[in-house]
């Protein structure tokens, strides 16, 4: 079975031992790909523990939202996957609105928001 596990995280991930590879290598599957969300507005998240689920809000006063350019980035990345016929088996993301939006706009499959990928919101 060929598959690629696709994960969107709020955290920046830098591989310890990255190697260069060609896009064609991804077609064989077996990779876990991490993306940060697409371009978001500048500013800060409110991080107010008294506001329930502020990180899931569409209110830019509470949490940063994707910019127009960020939405285009997400669509373009998804198109690149489809154009190169790279199969994505699973799409996980954090509960932050900007990561859910990024994953959804990529249109690579059903998006599952996971609490354990949302450490900044829960204080983990």
């Amino acid at each position: 079975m060929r598959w690629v596990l696709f994960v969107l995280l709020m955290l920046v991930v830098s591989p310890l031992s990255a190697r260069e590879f060609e896009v064609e290598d991804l077609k064989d599957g077996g990779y876990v790909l991490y993306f940060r969300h697409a371009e978001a507005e500048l500013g800060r998240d409110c991080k107010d523990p008294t506001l329930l689920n502020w990180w899931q809000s569409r209110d830019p006063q509470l949490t940063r939202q994707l910019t127009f350019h960020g939405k285009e980035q997400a669509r373009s990345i998804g198109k690149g996957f489809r154009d190169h016929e790279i199969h994505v088996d699973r799409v996980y993301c954090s509960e932050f609105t900007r990561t859910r939006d990024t994953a959804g706009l990529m249109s690579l499959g059903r998006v599952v928001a996971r609490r354990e990928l949302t450490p900044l919101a829960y204080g983990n």
Side-chain angles (χ1 to χ4, degrees), residues 9 23 26-27 40 60 64 85 89-91 104:
L9 291 178
V23 172
L26 295 176
K27 290 184 179 184
R64 297 181 304 126
E85 299 177 351
D89 190 52
R90 296 181 189 109
V91 181

Side-chain angles (χ1 to χ4, degrees), residues 51-119:
L51 294 174
L52 186 63
N53 299 335
W54 57 265
W55 56 92
Q56 296 177 17
S57 176
R58 294 243 173 241
D59 181 348
Q61 299 299 320
L62 297 179
T63 188
R64 297 181 304 126
Q65 308 293 312
L66 292 182
T67 63
F68 175 80
H69 183 251
K71 292 174 185 176
E72 291 300 311
Q73 284 177 327
R75 288 184 189 104
S76 178
I77 292 168
K79 181 179 182 318
F81 272 75
R82 289 185 296 283
D83 288 352
H84 290 285
E85 299 177 351
I86 298 168
H87 174 73
V88 175
D89 190 52
R90 296 181 189 109
V91 181
Y92 295 114
C93 68
S94 77
E95 296 174 332
F96 276 83
T97 299
R98 58 187 170 265
T99 62
R100 288 190 337 261
D101 289 349
T102 299
L105 289 167
M106 292 170 102
S107 300
L108 296 174
R110 185 174 78 90
V111 176
V112 178
R114 305 282 302 254
R115 179 184 174 134
E116 59 270 23
L117 298 176
T118 318

Side-chain angles (χ1 to χ4, degrees), residues 24-57:
E24 293 297 314
D25 293 339
L26 295 176
K27 290 184 179 184
D28 293 334
Y31 290 96
V32 175
L33 303 177
Y34 293 84
F35 283 83
R36 191 167 193 244
H37 56 77
E39 181 183 274
E41 300 166 337
L42 295 177
R44 294 179 167 241
D45 293 325
C46 81
K47 300 180 185 172
D48 183 344
T50 65
L51 294 174
L52 186 63
N53 299 335
W54 57 265
W55 56 92
Q56 296 177 17
S57 176

